[in-house]
Amino acid sequence: MSRYAYVNSAFVPHRAASVHIEDRGFQFGDAVYEVWSVRDGHLLDEQGHFERLYRSLDQLDIRFERSQSAMQVTIHELLRRNRIREGLVYLQISRGVAPRDHAFPATNTPPTIVLTAKRFSFSAAGRRAEQGVRVITHEDERWDRCDIKSVNLLANVLAKQAAREEGAYEAWLVDKAGLVTEGSSTTAWIVNADGALVTRPLDNHILHGITRKTVVAVANAMSIPLIERAFTPAEAKSAREAFITSASSFVMPVVQIDDKMIGNGAPGSLSLSLRDEYLRAQ
Ligand code: PMP
């Protein structure tokens, strides 16, 4: 079966899909993106990801005229053509193609739209959650607008690679004040000695995770206290539980940070029940 991508206004075979070499996403990382998980043919946290997409575009003044409903139709058609009911959808929108110049091109330059979809087994991810994952800590070398979901991911890429080279799943980024901001592609959480969830407040130093938002609602419904404040790696290492959240990993227990085992080294019970409840809430 052929795999399809969507570029600008056409469905094209994935292997032949391309953008111009003067695309500003390629030249400058002048583009934003979103990722949705697909389960039973539905986009998880669909609305939240669209809201963040339009906010990112607005913050960067990328003029994207297509409505959310038009994009939803296109995404579902892409899923249909690829016969995907369980997987991931990736959307990227760049400021378009123009002769290379740092300043914005003419305002009538159409943005470039790229959509891809792939199969992804959430049951394999579920098995990983039963084991828990290891994270390393790594310097946060990013800029001050991490709330914008831009494709400028070099510092995230380097941190994730450092994690992989140490056999870890994720890198928790640590800012100049010695506080954890977030993972290279996930939100970072701990559970304190009182059983409260602790995660960094939403500001420009982190991406406002859509999974975070749903997990906060789920925790509220479960009457689990939430404290929005930053924490240090040392506090995390002595926490009762730790976990990460993202659109593709949902709620993933963390069982080791650097060389320190969390709790007894098994996924925390609160982390696992939040994972179950998150999936039930969808
Ligand atoms: N932080 C960063 C840096 C990320 O890249 C991601 C994943 N896109 C997240 C957090 C988690 O966000 P979400 O729950 O919306 O996937």
Side-chain angles (χ1 to χ4, degrees):
M1 193 199 93
S2 315
R3 191 177 166 204
Y4 288 93
Y6 178 85
V7 183
N8 292 327
S9 54
F11 293 95
V12 286
H14 188 273
R15 65 187 144 66
S18 62
V19 294
H20 195 277
I21 56 167
E22 295 223 90
D23 191 275
R24 291 182 63 94
F26 176 65
Q27 292 286 353
F28 300 112
D30 191 358
V32 302
Y33 75 108
E34 275 300 332
V35 177
W36 287 263
S37 276
V38 183
R39 274 172 84 231
D40 284 334
H42 296 289
L43 302 183
L44 267 56
D45 289 328
E46 179 167 11
Q47 184 61 23
H49 287 281
F50 272 113
E51 282 169 12
R52 188 173 61 188
L53 170 72
Y54 283 99
R55 178 181 180 275
S56 295
L57 289 163
D58 186 57
Q59 291 292 305
L60 297 180
D61 208 8
I62 294 177
R63 295 186 188 167
F64 180 67
E65 313 269 288
R66 284 201 222 182
S67 67
Q68 177 175 326
S69 52
M71 291 308 297
Q72 281 163 316
V73 169
T74 308
I75 289 173
H76 282 285
E77 177 59 15
L78 182 69
L79 291 172
R80 193 190 65 76
R81 290 192 187 216
N82 287 294
R83 296 196 202 138
I84 292 176
R85 297 203 44 88
E86 183 174 290
L88 293 168
V89 171
Y90 175 83
L91 167 63
Q92 179 177 147
I93 299 167
S94 86
R95 203 182 301 278
V97 176
R100 190 177 184 282
D101 178 14
H102 285 58
F104 292 0
T107 48
N108 62 354
T109 305
T112 302
I113 308 168
V114 170
L115 266 171
T116 56
K118 66 176 180 188
R119 276 172 220 279
F120 180 79
S121 163
F122 294 113
S123 47
R127 285 195 291 281
R128 177 176 276 141
E130 286 164 23
Q131 305 290 308
V133 298
R134 290 204 304 115
V135 305
I136 61 162
T137 53
H138 191 277
E139 190 182 346
D140 192 341
E141 297 171 308
R142 301 173 303 163
W143 70 331
D144 276 342
R145 290 306 308 275
C146 296
D147 56 312
I148 299 171
K149 197 165 170 63
S150 91
V151 301
N152 263 282
L153 292 171
L154 192 51
N156 309 58
V157 164
L158 296 177
K160 185 78 89 184
Q161 180 60 20
R164 287 294 142 81
E165 284 172 13
E166 294 193 34
Y169 181 77
E170 178 60 301
W172 276 10
L173 307 177
V174 181
D175 67 14
K176 290 194 171 53
L179 297 163
V180 174
T181 49
E182 58 184 335
S184 68
S185 64
T186 57
T187 302
W189 306 68
I190 57 172
V191 178
N192 73 9
D194 300 328
L197 300 178
V198 183
T199 194
R200 195 169 173 120
L202 298 177
D203 60 17
N204 54 316
H205 299 300
I206 61 168
L207 184 74
H208 300 188
I210 304 305
T211 318
R212 177 194 189 280
K213 192 175 174 192
T214 303
V215 168
V216 166
V218 164
N220 268 331
M222 292 167 78
S223 303
I224 300 165
L226 169 74
I227 305 167
E228 290 183 280
R229 65 163 174 81
F231 53 84
T232 61
E235 184 183 2
K237 288 175 190 179
S238 59
R240 188 189 280 183
E241 297 184 25
F243 62 91
I244 51 180
T245 57
S246 75
S248 56
S249 58
F250 309 146
V251 177
M252 183 62 73
V254 169
V255 293
Q256 191 177 325
I257 302 171
D258 293 328
D259 292 330
K260 179 73 174 53
M261 206 176 256
I262 306 306
N264 63 1
S269 56
L270 188 51
S271 311
L272 289 175
S273 51
L274 281 170
R275 181 182 176 88
D276 288 347
E277 290 304 317
Y278 170 79
L279 290 171
R280 228 192 304 273
Q282 295 292 331

